[in-house]
Amino acid sequence: MSGVTASAARPGAGAGGPAGIGDVLALTGRHLRHLRRTPEKLIAVALTPVAMVVILGYLFASVITIKDNGGVEYHDYVMAGVFAQIGLTCVGITALGVASDLGKGLIDRFRSLPMARSSVLVSHTAADLVPAAISMVAVAGIGLLVGWRTDAGVLSVAGGFALLLAFAYAMLWLGALLGMVLRNMEAINGISALTLVILSFMSNSFMPLSGLPGWLRTVVEWNPVSSVSEACRVLWGNAPASSGGSLPMQHPVLVSVITVAALIAVLIPVALRTFRTAAAR
């Protein structure tokens, strides 16, 4: 029986039905059990951001100053950018996982079962969000050790972390799409590393934008990583004095929420549509 016939034969096997939810939970549990046996996946997500906290927030903090900082120290400024970098790191992790499942024929085995097809990717991204969340906890701990502090209420701080998790979830779906399109491990490693470097350093993650030329500053301000990072600084009370700029810098919280929601709304259906084609190859 094919995956389509099997799913159609079972009531509630759609993505939103009770059986579909059960499929997602079962596959998510499988991925989490696999994560427990392969902790290097967690290390891969956390290693780069933790290193950036130590290098930028501790070693470079004494030699980097922020113009018109409004009392914000550099190690406070940089933390939001490091947290956003965790989401970018997730792109390669999920892309490699999905490509590996396709290459090993695991997806074909899932298709032969009476389960909702969408549950395969939904469970993959849900499970990969766990290492991202754990990495944020680790980075927050290291940040506190090097002197990072928030200056806002509990709900505002929690809102910043919720935004970061939503951004990471969007990047997980981008990674799933990338894995299905490329499939080649070397190509995925190259593209995901390039994405991490370009989107991280072509943003305000680690340095303010005041010194950039006008055209480049506009491009960097509209980078989603910039608005997410700035939104977290605002929510955590770590934002330096406003230096104007385009809409994303004037209203970073609103722009980042809309941007992340739009990314999720676009990437999920595109990835699921691509999955139907990729699984049939």
Coordinates of all heavy atoms in Angstrom, one line a residue, residues 25-93:
L25 N 3.9 13.4 17.2 CA 4.4 13.1 18.5 C 5.3 11.8 18.5 O 6.4 11.8 19.2 CB 3.3 12.9 19.5 CG 2.4 14.2 19.8 CD1 1.3 13.8 20.8 CD2 3.3 15.3 20.4
A26 N 4.9 10.8 17.8 CA 5.6 9.6 17.8 C 7.0 9.8 17.1 O 8.0 9.3 17.6 CB 4.8 8.5 17.0
L27 N 7.0 10.5 15.9 CA 8.2 10.7 15.2 C 9.1 11.7 16.0 O 10.4 11.6 15.9 CB 7.9 11.3 13.8 CG 7.3 10.2 12.9 CD1 7.0 10.9 11.5 CD2 8.3 9.1 12.7
T28 N 8.5 12.7 16.6 CA 9.3 13.6 17.4 C 10.0 12.9 18.6 O 11.2 13.2 18.8 CB 8.4 14.8 18.0 OG1 7.8 15.5 17.0 CG2 9.2 15.7 18.8
G29 N 9.3 12.0 19.2 CA 9.9 11.2 20.2 C 11.1 10.4 19.7 O 12.1 10.2 20.4
R30 N 10.9 9.8 18.5 CA 12.0 9.1 17.9 C 13.2 9.9 17.6 O 14.4 9.5 17.9 CB 11.5 8.5 16.5 CG 12.6 7.8 15.7 CD 12.2 7.5 14.3 NE 13.3 7.0 13.5 CZ 14.2 7.8 12.9 NH1 14.1 9.1 13.0 NH2 15.2 7.2 12.2
H31 N 13.0 11.2 17.1 CA 14.1 12.1 16.9 C 14.8 12.5 18.2 O 16.1 12.6 18.2 CB 13.7 13.3 16.2 CG 13.3 13.1 14.7 ND1 14.2 12.6 13.8 CD2 12.1 13.3 14.0 CE1 13.6 12.5 12.6 NE2 12.3 12.9 12.7
L32 N 14.1 12.7 19.2 CA 14.7 13.1 20.5 C 15.5 11.9 21.1 O 16.5 12.1 21.8 CB 13.6 13.5 21.5 CG 12.9 14.8 21.1 CD1 11.8 15.2 22.1 CD2 13.9 16.0 21.0
R33 N 15.0 10.7 21.0 CA 15.7 9.6 21.5 C 17.1 9.4 20.7 O 18.1 9.1 21.3 CB 14.9 8.3 21.3 CG 13.8 8.2 22.3 CD 13.2 6.8 22.3 NE 12.5 6.4 21.1 CZ 11.3 6.7 20.8 NH1 10.5 7.4 21.7 NH2 10.8 6.4 19.6
H34 N 17.0 9.7 19.4 CA 18.2 9.7 18.6 C 19.2 10.8 19.0 O 20.4 10.6 19.1 CB 17.9 9.9 17.1 CG 19.0 9.8 16.2 ND1 19.8 8.7 15.9 CD2 19.6 10.8 15.5 CE1 20.8 9.0 15.1 NE2 20.7 10.3 14.8
L35 N 18.6 12.0 19.4 CA 19.4 13.1 19.9 C 20.2 12.7 21.2 O 21.3 13.1 21.3 CB 18.6 14.3 20.1 CG 19.3 15.5 20.7 CD1 20.3 16.1 19.8 CD2 18.2 16.6 21.0
R36 N 19.5 12.0 22.0 CA 20.1 11.5 23.3 C 21.3 10.6 23.0 O 22.3 10.6 23.8 CB 19.1 10.8 24.1 CG 19.6 10.5 25.6 CD 18.4 10.0 26.4 NE 17.7 8.8 25.7 CZ 16.6 8.3 26.2 NH1 16.0 8.8 27.2 NH2 16.1 7.2 25.6
R37 N 21.2 9.8 21.9 CA 22.3 8.9 21.6 C 23.4 9.6 20.8 O 24.5 9.1 20.6 CB 21.8 7.7 20.8 CG 20.9 6.8 21.6 CD 20.6 5.5 20.9 NE 19.9 5.7 19.7 CZ 18.6 5.7 19.5 NH1 17.9 5.4 20.6 NH2 18.0 5.8 18.4
T38 N 23.1 10.8 20.2 CA 24.1 11.5 19.4 C 24.2 13.0 20.0 O 23.8 13.9 19.3 CB 23.7 11.5 17.9 OG1 22.4 12.0 17.8 CG2 23.8 10.1 17.4
P39 N 24.8 13.2 21.1 CA 24.9 14.5 21.7 C 25.7 15.5 20.9 O 25.7 16.7 21.1 CB 25.5 14.3 23.1 CG 26.3 13.0 22.9 CD 25.4 12.2 22.0
E40 N 26.5 15.0 19.9 CA 27.3 15.9 19.1 C 26.4 16.9 18.3 O 26.9 17.9 17.9 CB 28.2 15.1 18.1 CG 27.5 14.2 17.2 CD 27.3 12.8 17.8 OE1 27.5 12.6 19.0 OE2 27.1 11.8 17.0
K41 N 25.2 16.5 18.0 CA 24.3 17.4 17.3 C 24.0 18.6 18.2 O 24.0 19.7 17.7 CB 23.0 16.7 17.0 CG 22.0 17.4 16.1 CD 20.8 16.6 15.7 CE 19.9 17.3 14.7 NZ 18.8 16.5 14.3
L42 N 23.8 18.4 19.5 CA 23.6 19.5 20.4 C 24.9 20.4 20.5 O 24.8 21.6 20.5 CB 23.2 19.0 21.8 CG 23.0 20.0 22.9 CD1 22.0 21.0 22.5 CD2 22.7 19.3 24.2
I43 N 26.0 19.7 20.5 CA 27.3 20.5 20.6 C 27.5 21.3 19.3 O 27.9 22.4 19.4 CB 28.4 19.5 20.8 CG1 28.3 18.8 22.1 CG2 29.8 20.2 20.7 CD1 29.3 17.6 22.3
A44 N 27.1 20.8 18.2 CA 27.2 21.5 16.9 C 26.4 22.8 16.9 O 26.9 23.8 16.4 CB 26.9 20.6 15.7
V45 N 25.2 22.7 17.5 CA 24.4 23.9 17.5 C 24.9 24.9 18.5 O 24.9 26.2 18.2 CB 22.9 23.5 17.9 CG1 22.1 24.8 18.0 CG2 22.3 22.6 16.9
A46 N 25.4 24.5 19.6 CA 25.8 25.4 20.7 C 27.3 25.9 20.6 O 27.6 27.0 21.1 CB 25.6 24.7 22.0
L47 N 28.1 25.2 19.9 CA 29.6 25.5 19.9 C 29.9 26.9 19.4 O 30.6 27.6 20.1 CB 30.3 24.4 19.1 CG 31.9 24.5 19.2 CD1 32.3 24.4 20.6 CD2 32.5 23.4 18.3
T48 N 29.4 27.2 18.2 CA 29.7 28.5 17.6 C 29.2 29.7 18.4 O 30.0 30.6 18.7 CB 29.2 28.6 16.2 OG1 29.8 27.6 15.4 CG2 29.5 30.0 15.6
P49 N 27.9 29.7 18.8 CA 27.4 30.8 19.7 C 28.2 30.9 21.0 O 28.5 32.0 21.4 CB 26.0 30.4 19.9 CG 25.6 29.6 18.7 CD 26.8 28.8 18.4
V50 N 28.5 29.8 21.6 CA 29.2 29.9 22.9 C 30.6 30.5 22.7 O 31.1 31.3 23.5 CB 29.3 28.5 23.6 CG1 30.3 28.5 24.7 CG2 27.9 28.0 24.1
A51 N 31.2 30.1 21.6 CA 32.6 30.6 21.3 C 32.5 32.1 21.0 O 33.4 32.9 21.5 CB 33.2 29.9 20.1
M52 N 31.4 32.5 20.4 CA 31.2 34.0 20.1 C 31.0 34.8 21.3 O 31.5 35.9 21.5 CB 30.1 34.2 19.1 CG 30.3 33.6 17.7 SD 31.7 34.3 16.8 CE 31.1 35.9 16.4
V53 N 30.3 34.2 22.3 CA 30.1 34.9 23.6 C 31.4 35.1 24.3 O 31.8 36.2 24.8 CB 29.2 34.1 24.5 CG1 29.1 34.7 25.9 CG2 27.8 34.0 23.9
V54 N 32.3 34.1 24.3 CA 33.6 34.1 25.0 C 34.5 35.1 24.3 O 35.1 36.0 24.9 CB 34.2 32.7 25.1 CG1 35.6 32.8 25.7 CG2 33.3 31.8 25.9
I55 N 34.5 35.0 22.9 CA 35.5 35.8 22.2 C 35.0 37.3 22.1 O 35.8 38.2 22.4 CB 35.6 35.3 20.7 CG1 36.3 33.9 20.7 CG2 36.4 36.2 19.9 CD1 36.2 33.2 19.4
L56 N 33.8 37.5 21.8 CA 33.3 38.9 21.7 C 32.9 39.5 23.0 O 33.2 40.7 23.3 CB 32.1 38.9 20.7 CG 32.4 38.6 19.2 CD1 31.1 38.6 18.4 CD2 33.4 39.5 18.6
G57 N 32.1 38.7 23.8 CA 31.6 39.3 25.0 C 32.6 39.4 26.1 O 32.4 40.2 27.1
Y58 N 33.7 38.6 26.0 CA 34.7 38.7 27.1 C 36.0 39.2 26.7 O 36.5 40.2 27.2 CB 34.8 37.3 27.7 CG 35.8 37.2 28.9 CD1 35.4 37.7 30.1 CD2 37.0 36.5 28.8 CE1 36.3 37.7 31.2 CE2 37.9 36.5 29.9 CZ 37.5 37.0 31.1 OH 38.3 37.0 32.1
L59 N 36.6 38.6 25.6 CA 37.9 39.0 25.2 C 37.9 40.4 24.5 O 38.9 41.2 24.7 CB 38.5 37.9 24.2 CG 38.7 36.5 24.8 CD1 39.3 35.6 23.8 CD2 39.6 36.6 26.0
F60 N 36.9 40.7 23.7 CA 36.9 41.9 22.9 C 36.2 43.0 23.6 O 36.2 44.2 23.2 CB 36.3 41.7 21.5 CG 37.2 40.9 20.6 CD1 36.7 40.6 19.3 CD2 38.4 40.5 21.0 CE1 37.5 39.9 18.4 CE2 39.2 39.8 20.1 CZ 38.8 39.5 18.8
A61 N 35.4 42.7 24.7 CA 34.6 43.7 25.3 C 35.4 44.9 25.8 O 34.9 46.1 25.9 CB 33.8 43.1 26.5
S62 N 36.6 44.7 26.2 CA 37.5 45.8 26.8 C 38.0 46.7 25.7 O 38.5 47.8 26.0 CB 38.6 45.2 27.6 OG 39.4 44.4 26.8
V63 N 38.0 46.3 24.4 CA 38.6 47.1 23.4 C 37.5 47.6 22.4 O 37.8 48.4 21.5 CB 39.7 46.3 22.6 CG1 40.8 46.0 23.5 CG2 39.1 45.1 21.9
I64 N 36.3 47.2 22.5 CA 35.2 47.6 21.6 C 34.2 48.5 22.4 O 33.7 48.1 23.5 CB 34.4 46.5 21.0 CG1 35.4 45.6 20.1 CG2 33.3 47.0 20.1 CD1 34.8 44.4 19.5
T65 N 33.9 49.7 21.9 CA 33.0 50.5 22.6 C 31.9 50.9 21.6 O 32.1 50.9 20.4 CB 33.6 51.8 23.1 OG1 34.2 52.5 22.0 CG2 34.7 51.5 24.2
I66 N 30.7 51.2 22.1 CA 29.5 51.5 21.3 C 29.3 53.0 21.4 O 29.1 53.6 22.5 CB 28.3 50.8 21.8 CG1 28.5 49.3 21.8 CG2 27.1 51.1 20.9 CD1 27.4 48.5 22.4
K67 N 29.3 53.7 20.2 CA 29.0 55.1 20.2 C 27.6 55.4 20.6 O 26.6 54.7 20.2 CB 29.2 55.6 18.8 CG 29.1 57.1 18.6 CD 29.3 57.5 17.2 CE 29.1 59.0 17.0 NZ 29.4 59.5 15.6
D68 N 27.4 56.4 21.4 CA 26.0 56.7 22.0 C 25.4 55.5 22.6 O 24.2 55.1 22.3 CB 25.1 57.3 20.8 CG 25.7 58.5 20.2 OD1 26.3 59.3 21.0 OD2 25.5 58.7 19.0
N69 N 26.1 54.8 23.5 CA 25.6 53.5 24.0 C 24.5 53.6 25.0 O 23.9 52.6 25.3 CB 26.8 52.7 24.6 CG 27.4 53.5 25.8 OD1 26.9 54.4 26.3 ND2 28.6 53.0 26.2
G70 N 24.2 54.8 25.5 CA 23.1 54.9 26.5 C 23.3 54.1 27.7 O 22.4 53.7 28.3
G71 N 24.6 53.8 28.1 CA 24.9 53.0 29.2 C 25.0 51.5 29.0 O 25.2 50.8 29.9
V72 N 24.8 51.1 27.7 CA 24.9 49.7 27.4 C 26.3 49.3 27.1 O 27.0 49.9 26.2 CB 24.0 49.4 26.2 CG1 24.1 47.9 25.7 CG2 22.5 49.7 26.5
E73 N 26.8 48.3 27.8 CA 28.1 47.8 27.5 C 28.1 46.8 26.3 O 27.1 46.3 25.9 CB 28.7 47.0 28.7 CG 28.8 47.9 30.0 CD 29.8 48.9 29.9 OE1 30.8 48.8 29.0 OE2 29.7 50.0 30.6
Y74 N 29.3 46.6 25.7 CA 29.4 45.8 24.5 C 28.9 44.4 24.7 O 28.2 43.8 23.9 CB 30.8 45.8 23.9 CG 30.9 45.0 22.7 CD1 30.3 45.4 21.5 CD2 31.5 43.7 22.6 CE1 30.3 44.7 20.3 CE2 31.6 43.0 21.5 CZ 31.0 43.5 20.3 OH 31.0 42.7 19.2
H75 N 29.3 43.8 25.9 CA 28.8 42.4 26.1 C 27.3 42.3 26.3 O 26.7 41.2 26.0 CB 29.5 41.8 27.4 CG 29.4 42.6 28.6 ND1 30.5 43.2 29.2 CD2 28.4 42.8 29.4 CE1 30.1 43.8 30.3 NE2 28.8 43.6 30.4
D76 N 26.6 43.4 26.7 CA 25.2 43.4 26.7 C 24.6 43.5 25.3 O 23.6 42.8 24.9 CB 24.6 44.5 27.5 CG 24.9 44.3 29.0 OD1 25.0 43.2 29.5 OD2 25.1 45.4 29.7
Y77 N 25.3 44.3 24.5 CA 24.8 44.6 23.1 C 25.0 43.3 22.3 O 24.1 43.0 21.5 CB 25.7 45.7 22.5 CG 25.4 46.0 21.0 CD1 24.4 46.9 20.7 CD2 26.0 45.3 20.0 CE1 24.1 47.1 19.4 CE2 25.7 45.6 18.7 CZ 24.7 46.5 18.4 OH 24.4 46.7 17.0
V78 N 26.1 42.6 22.4 CA 26.4 41.5 21.5 C 25.5 40.2 21.7 O 25.4 39.4 20.9 CB 27.9 41.1 21.5 CG1 28.2 40.3 22.8 CG2 28.3 40.4 20.3
M79 N 25.0 40.1 23.0 CA 24.3 38.8 23.3 C 23.1 38.5 22.4 O 22.9 37.4 22.0 CB 23.9 38.9 24.8 CG 25.0 38.7 25.8 SD 25.8 37.1 25.6 CE 24.5 36.0 25.9
A80 N 22.3 39.6 22.1 CA 21.1 39.3 21.2 C 21.6 38.8 19.8 O 20.9 37.9 19.3 CB 20.4 40.6 21.0
G81 N 22.7 39.3 19.3 CA 23.2 38.8 18.0 C 23.7 37.4 18.1 O 23.5 36.6 17.2
V82 N 24.3 37.0 19.2 CA 24.7 35.6 19.4 C 23.5 34.7 19.5 O 23.5 33.6 18.9 CB 25.6 35.5 20.7 CG1 26.0 34.1 21.0 CG2 26.9 36.3 20.5
F83 N 22.5 35.1 20.2 CA 21.3 34.2 20.3 C 20.7 34.1 18.9 O 20.2 33.0 18.6 CB 20.3 34.9 21.3 CG 20.5 34.6 22.7 CD1 20.8 35.7 23.6 CD2 20.5 33.4 23.2 CE1 21.1 35.5 24.9 CE2 20.7 33.1 24.6 CZ 21.0 34.2 25.4
A84 N 20.6 35.1 18.1 CA 20.1 35.0 16.8 C 20.9 34.1 15.9 O 20.4 33.4 15.0 CB 20.0 36.4 16.1
Q85 N 22.2 34.0 16.2 CA 23.1 33.1 15.4 C 22.7 31.7 15.6 O 23.0 30.8 14.8 CB 24.5 33.4 15.8 CG 25.6 32.8 14.9 CD 27.0 33.2 15.3 OE1 27.4 32.9 16.5 NE2 27.8 33.7 14.4
I86 N 22.2 31.3 16.8 CA 21.8 30.0 17.0 C 20.7 29.5 16.0 O 20.8 28.4 15.5 CB 21.2 29.8 18.5 CG1 22.3 30.0 19.5 CG2 20.5 28.4 18.7 CD1 21.8 30.0 20.9
G87 N 19.8 30.4 15.7 CA 18.8 30.1 14.7 C 19.4 29.8 13.3 O 19.1 28.9 12.6
L88 N 20.5 30.6 13.0 CA 21.2 30.4 11.7 C 21.9 29.1 11.7 O 22.0 28.4 10.7 CB 22.1 31.6 11.4 CG 21.5 33.0 11.3 CD1 22.6 34.0 11.1 CD2 20.5 33.0 10.1
T89 N 22.5 28.7 12.8 CA 23.2 27.4 12.9 C 22.2 26.3 12.7 O 22.6 25.2 12.1 CB 23.8 27.3 14.3 OG1 24.6 28.4 14.6 CG2 24.7 26.0 14.4
C90 N 21.0 26.4 13.0 CA 20.0 25.4 12.9 C 19.7 25.0 11.4 O 19.3 23.9 11.1 CB 18.6 25.8 13.5 SG 18.7 25.8 15.3
V91 N 20.0 26.0 10.5 CA 19.8 25.7 9.1 C 20.5 24.5 8.6 O 20.0 23.5 8.0 CB 20.2 26.9 8.2 CG1 20.1 26.6 6.7 CG2 19.3 28.1 8.5
G92 N 21.8 24.4 8.9 CA 22.7 23.3 8.4 C 22.3 22.0 9.2 O 22.4 20.9 8.5
I93 N 22.0 22.1 10.4 CA 21.7 20.9 11.2 C 20.5 20.2 10.6 O 20.5 18.9 10.4 CB 21.5 21.2 12.7 CG1 22.7 21.9 13.3 CG2 21.1 20.0 13.5 CD1 24.0 21.1 13.3

